[in-house]
Amino acid sequence: MYTKYAERQRWKWEVIDSHPTGVGGLKEVVVLVQGRGAWSRLKYERGVHRVQRVPAPSRAGAFTPRR
């Protein structure tokens, strides 16, 4: 998401460090973003961002509209 945004803003970005998981995903990625206005637009995005996956069986009945 952030790399696509950086590309649209014509900022340069590079992966500094990444830590893959044992099941084919990524646990942690550190990215350097450089360009005009990058700090002012991304300053509140620094730090840890957590993505949580919901297992498929839980997703099926997660929303039941009331009648």
Side-chain angles (χ1 to χ4, degrees):
M1 177 179 85
Y2 291 108
T3 59
K4 296 292 183 190
Y5 182 71
E7 287 172 356
R8 284 195 310 253
Q9 301 300 317
R10 297 184 182 173
W11 296 334
K12 294 179 182 178
W13 64 271
E14 101 180 70
V15 175
I16 301 297
D17 195 17
S18 65
H19 299 278
T21 64
V23 293
L26 292 168
K27 180 179 180 183
E28 180 182 36
V29 177
V30 178
V31 178
L32 172 67
V33 179
Q34 293 179 314
R36 182 180 210 109
W39 173 254
S40 64
R41 297 259 180 101
L42 299 175
K43 63 185 170 187
Y44 298 112
E45 301 299 326
R46 66 182 179 206
V48 176
H49 284 51
R50 182 173 168 233
V51 177
Q52 182 174 354
R53 302 283 184 225
V54 178
S58 298
R59 241 184 300 184
F63 176 73
T64 307
R66 293 185 180 202
R67 293 181 180 213

